[in-house]
Amino acid sequence: MLSVDDLEVSGATVLLRADLNVPLDGTSITDDGRIRASLPTIRKLTSRGARVLIAAHLGRPKGAGYAERAAGGPSLAPVAARLAELLGQPVPLAGDVAGPSAAETAAKLADGDVALLENVRFEPAETSKDDAERAGLARRLAALATLYVGDGFGALHRKHASVYDVPALLPAAAGDLVLDEVAVLQRLTRDPERPYVVVLGGAKPSDKLGVIASLLGQADRILIGGGMSYTFLTAQGHEMGKSLLEADKVDEVRQVLADAAARGVEIVLPVDLVGATDFAPDAQSDIYDVTAFPADRESLDMGPATRELFAARLADAATVFWNGPVGVFEFPAFAAGTLAVAQAIARVRGLTVVGGGDSAAAVRQLGLPDDAFSRISTGGGASLEYLEGATLPGLQALDDAPARTALAEEKP
């Protein structure tokens, strides 16, 4: 695919699809990692005289139409303010996505300027499954610029207008962030150094059964913690009390365990858990062996024996991919397991990839520096789908862009 370096951007208005979907506490950004990850491509464009118009989404606005969604938010105003601080220059925010305010904002850009469109998901067509609806929004967005750069890796697995449809309408290229993310994921899927250890956490196995099936042909060892581990432990016959559980996935999980055994892939599960009286930051809790977990307790973290077990099974790794916290790290009393996993991975000398999403938020909230790992991905879902072997629509659109650009140049 083409890169930013392949485009002549001086004096051109570039529609940059970035991933600025940061967590908010009200209107305060709690983790600006995705904004900071977008800076290299933005700075490369502005340093070469581009007029950068950024499209991005934030959260999942609710409502049937634009007005209802815009009224309910969230607005990208806090993101525009933070981006301006990091860039050291004004970043005006358009009052809409692809309407009169967006057109006026784009028209006022000078060489080296940066502006931000309002939350692209305020437009229902952005996420529509109707090709014609998405295409209509794509045409309005494309009319604002002369070039397109896709740098929102965390959204590449979505067939959305600003990700999938716009690149078909403008000369398009991949941003540096996307190229870096793909390069790292290729290292994980094309002959990784071994032992290759994968750590999977998060809430539900249904989100990750596909990637686990794929990883059985790649990884040497898979460590499973967090909410998804309780379904695995149930599949082994253990009582999990009130813990998060997907009872309808138990048979599928049993099959995954059987397939892993047949392939010689080691599946490592918790041996003890922190059982709490209820889901609360100050809940009373005790440590229980998985063979004796009480029916009236809910597991919110892995126990000390499991923390040692996971650390030991990571100690000899040459390659590690981690996606999903292994406990309710947002509650300090139940963050020890996720912290122990993060610290164990940080000690690995080989390639260590934190697969975005809650995992990225966890390592930062728990105080580990970004450079403790080889890569902290900006896209949890996109990373998982890539490892699963799925075609990412946004990546395919960027792959197709050189051919479309060449055809356009050949026309008289």
Side-chain angles (χ1 to χ4, degrees):
M1 69 186 76
L2 296 178
S3 73
V4 173
D5 297 330
D6 296 315
L7 298 178
E8 179 52 61
V9 300
S10 180
T13 300
V14 178
L15 182 65
L16 172 67
R17 182 41 163 109
D19 181 7
L20 306 178
N21 187 29
V22 295
L24 295 175
D25 181 3
T27 59
S28 299
I29 297 170
T30 58
D31 178 8
D32 68 355
R34 281 178 170 160
I35 301 176
R36 288 186 284 109
S38 299
L39 295 178
T41 297
I42 296 171
R43 286 175 172 148
K44 175 178 281 190
L45 288 168
T46 57
S47 69
R48 293 174 55 198
R51 305 174 182 192
V52 182
L53 186 64
I54 302 174
H57 74 276
L58 184 60
R60 297 181 177 179
K62 294 180 172 58
Y66 183 96
E68 188 176 353
R69 293 185 178 198
S75 169
L76 278 167
V79 174
R82 181 58 179 149
L83 187 56
E85 291 176 359
L86 293 170
L87 289 173
Q89 68 182 77
V91 179
L93 175 67
D96 54 31
V97 175
S101 180
E104 181 180 0
T105 300
K108 289 181 177 179
L109 288 172
D111 295 358
D113 283 353
V114 178
L116 182 62
L117 300 174
E118 208 15 308
N119 189 344
V120 71
R121 287 190 182 173
F122 285 171
E123 292 275 2
E126 165 69 2
T127 59
S128 176
K129 294 182 180 180
D130 185 296
D131 291 348
E133 288 184 9
R134 289 198 323 275
L137 175 59
R139 286 192 294 271
R140 290 162 57 205
L141 287 168
L144 301 172
T146 56
L147 299 172
Y148 176 89
V149 171
D151 206 36
F153 177 76
L156 288 185
H157 60 312
R158 307 295 189 189
K159 194 175 182 180
H160 291 172
S162 66
V163 175
Y164 177 77
D165 297 281
V166 178
L169 303 176
L170 294 172
D176 289 355
L177 174 61
V178 163
L179 295 175
D180 289 345
E181 295 270 17
V182 171
V184 169
L185 290 171
Q186 286 177 343
R187 292 180 62 186
L188 294 176
T189 55
R190 300 178 182 177
D191 195 24
E193 291 190 38
R194 300 185 181 279
Y196 175 20
V197 181
V198 174
V199 183
L200 296 176
K204 300 178 293 184
S206 59
D207 294 337
K208 293 168 183 169
L209 285 175
V211 74
I212 292 174
S214 178
L215 287 169
L216 292 180
Q218 302 174 28
D220 300 298
R221 195 177 302 146
I222 302 176
L223 283 54
I224 298 175
M228 65 183 302
S229 71
Y230 311 141
T231 303
F232 276 79
L233 291 166
T234 299
Q236 291 186 329
H238 299 300
E239 166 68 52
M240 285 292 102
K242 300 187 298 181
S243 304
L244 185 67
L245 183 67
E246 285 190 300
D248 62 330
K249 297 297 180 182
V250 169
D251 287 343
E252 289 184 56
V253 166
R254 287 197 183 104
Q255 187 60 54
V256 167
L257 290 170
D259 291 345
R263 288 172 174 258
V265 178
E266 182 184 6
I267 302 289
V268 182
L269 296 170
V271 294
D272 63 344
L273 298 167
V274 180
T277 53
D278 59 300
F279 188 88
D282 57 352
Q284 179 187 344
S285 63
D286 296 287
I287 308 300
Y288 299 96
D289 189 278
V290 295
T291 60
F293 195 84
D296 63 347
R297 292 287 177 119
E298 177 179 2
S299 178
L300 299 186
D301 198 8
M302 58 172 57
T306 303
R307 297 199 293 269
E308 292 182 7
L309 171 64
F310 276 36
R313 303 312 287 145
L314 283 161
D316 67 342
T319 304
V320 177
F321 174 77
W322 172 31
N323 180 276
V326 295
V328 187
F329 73 92
E330 297 90 344
F331 298 162
F334 305 106
T338 301
L339 177 60
V341 166
Q343 291 174 330
I345 294 173
R347 289 193 291 269
V348 172
R349 293 186 177 182
L351 175 66
T352 54
V353 181
V354 178
D358 288 339
S359 308
V363 298
R364 292 176 177 131
Q365 181 174 316
L366 296 173
L368 279 77
D370 286 8
D371 60 7
F373 310 92
S374 304
R375 181 82 187 179
I376 297 182
S377 176
T378 57
S383 296
L384 286 176
E385 291 197 21
Y386 189 99
L387 293 182
E388 190 177 337
T391 298
L392 306 187
L395 195 60
Q396 184 64 54
L398 293 172
D399 274 333
D400 292 342
R404 286 195 301 268
T405 301
L407 287 173
E409 291 174 347
E410 289 175 5
K411 291 180 180 179

